[in-house]
Amino acid sequence: WFARTFGGRMQKISVEAGFTCPNRDGSKGWGGCTFCSNEAFHPAYCRPDIPIRQQISEGMEFHRKRYRRSKGYLVYFQSYSNTYKPVDVLNRLYREALSHPEVKGLVIGTRPDTVNEEVLALLVELQRNHFIMVEYGVESIYDTTLQQVNRGHSFADAVEAIQATHRAGIPCGAHFILGLPGETPEMLRQYAATISRLPLTTVKFHQLQLFKDTLMAARYIEKPDDFHLFTLEEYIDLLIYLIERLSPSIVIERVAGEVPPRFLVSPLWSRMRYDEVLRRIESEMKKRDTWQGRLYVP
């Protein structure tokens, strides 16, 4: 989808700009989400004490060695809630990233409760000359789960934010974690129909991964029976079930998570490279002669 949109392969460059979250700074809570370990997700060059332009240049150098076919770059504001500052500060940060000559646009990761009309108006203005996409961390469609992981917002908040972003004409993605404590197989199977009703451009699925030094990992060590951590075969079955029933109009951007093994408490297959997990899912789908949306019911 990105290749069709831009006429060639695009690569995301993560940056960190010193954001936090309302469930970290006391606005809605303390400590953040119980599963969260931002250190596991971004490269070493992502540091808020380094200027954004420098992070971008270092990120391009880092990725050029691995992704030689890239035709351009999107700056990915990834860590924490990247709309959670005054609009004038957001304007300065976003424009600094867009000022780099090789940057084609921004992907802004954030929470649904930190986007309002003023933020959307800024993004619409930036979108006149650049590609802008918002990626919401929704994580679960169930409020009981969101409360349990100290998320600090409801699923209704996510729906409202996604709909408002869509009305503004801004491409919108959503991220979900599959396997959070308390969600049964039947509850997980409901994700496909619920997500399909949302006006999303893209969606990302991650298996639950437990990171060292998080509250969730501590709970797992203390009460492992509260968790069902998928085997690879179980996860592939669940993903295919969801993919078959997901609206074919939504682009699946990711089907699993991957972090450096040193951060993980999770089972060994979680340490498998993402490309291998993807290959196995696609191979099983070919074996079953199935595809995205095959069982989708509008």
Side-chain angles (χ1 to χ4, degrees):
W1 180 81
F2 280 105
R4 287 200 308 270
T5 301
F6 290 96
R9 179 186 173 124
M10 303 299 292
Q11 180 59 46
K12 291 179 185 173
I13 303 292
S14 295
V15 298
E16 187 171 339
F19 286 87
T20 185
C21 299
N23 64 346
R24 285 178 173 271
D25 67 2
S27 174
K28 289 192 172 181
W30 300 98
C33 303
T34 61
F35 54 76
C36 186
S37 173
N38 273 285
E39 294 78 10
F41 285 101
H42 60 257
Y45 65 80
C46 289
R47 287 172 32 207
D49 58 321
I50 298 176
I52 287 176
R53 290 253 322 204
Q54 183 180 337
Q55 290 186 54
I56 293 169
S57 296
E58 292 183 15
M60 287 178 180
E61 186 63 27
F62 174 84
H63 285 293
R64 280 192 182 108
K65 297 172 184 175
R66 185 175 179 185
Y67 304 107
R68 300 179 186 275
R69 294 183 291 114
S70 297
K71 301 297 184 184
Y73 297 91
L74 300 173
V75 172
Y76 187 14
F77 284 84
Q78 182 179 12
S79 299
Y80 304 105
S81 302
N82 291 276
T83 53
Y84 191 46
K85 285 183 183 289
V87 171
D88 61 325
V89 178
L90 297 178
N91 186 38
R92 175 176 57 78
L93 293 171
Y94 297 160
R95 290 186 186 276
E96 181 181 352
L98 290 169
S99 69
H100 195 289
E102 294 186 72
V103 169
K104 307 298 183 184
L106 308 178
V107 178
I108 301 167
T110 194
R111 293 162 52 101
D113 56 343
T114 62
V115 171
N116 54 35
E117 291 184 6
E118 198 176 6
V119 171
L120 290 175
L122 169 62
L123 300 182
V124 169
E125 180 183 339
L126 296 175
Q127 193 176 232
R128 292 174 185 169
N129 298 307
H130 299 90
F131 175 85
I132 305 293
M133 184 174 186
V134 179
E135 183 179 299
Y136 288 110
V138 180
E139 314 313 353
S140 175
I141 65 174
Y142 298 105
D143 285 346
T144 52
T145 303
L146 295 172
Q147 292 166 7
Q148 186 182 78
V149 300
N150 194 38
R151 187 69 187 165
H153 66 75
S154 66
F155 182 61
D157 292 331
V159 173
E160 183 178 348
I162 290 167
Q163 290 175 339
T165 306
H166 176 71
R167 287 194 301 270
I170 300 167
C172 181
H175 178 277
F176 296 90
I177 299 173
L178 301 176
L180 288 166
E183 296 195 1
T184 65
E186 180 54 37
M187 292 169 72
L188 289 169
R189 287 193 284 268
Q190 300 303 314
Y191 272 71
T194 302
I195 293 170
S196 292
R197 289 193 290 269
L198 299 174
L200 290 168
T201 306
T202 67
V203 65
K204 289 180 178 178
F205 295 112
H206 281 196
Q207 78 279 25
L208 175 62
Q209 294 175 291
L210 301 175
F211 304 119
K212 294 176 181 177
D213 302 321
T214 61
L215 289 172
M216 188 169 286
R219 177 181 166 186
Y220 171 70
I221 292 168
E222 183 180 343
K223 297 182 177 180
D225 291 343
D226 290 352
F227 294 77
H228 177 77
L229 298 178
F230 297 107
T231 65
L232 179 57
E233 291 72 22
E234 288 175 328
Y235 189 70
I236 289 173
D237 278 341
L238 174 62
L239 252 294
I240 293 176
Y241 182 95
L242 297 178
I243 290 169
E244 288 179 318
R245 291 159 177 81
L246 187 71
S247 169
S249 68
I250 298 175
V251 178
I252 300 175
E253 198 171 349
R254 232 177 202 283
V255 293
E258 178 188 16
V259 301
R262 67 182 183 276
F263 290 102
L264 285 172
V265 178
S266 303
L268 287 176
W269 82 265
S270 290
R271 301 163 192 251
M272 187 180 293
R273 294 303 301 266
Y274 173 76
D275 290 350
E276 176 61 16
V277 177
L278 176 61
R279 186 194 67 76
R280 294 198 187 195
I281 291 171
E282 291 180 335
S283 175
E284 184 64 24
M285 290 180 72
K286 289 177 182 177
K287 189 185 300 182
R288 299 185 191 186
D289 189 26
T290 193
W291 56 88
Q292 181 181 346
R294 184 176 72 85
L295 300 176
Y296 168 63
V297 179

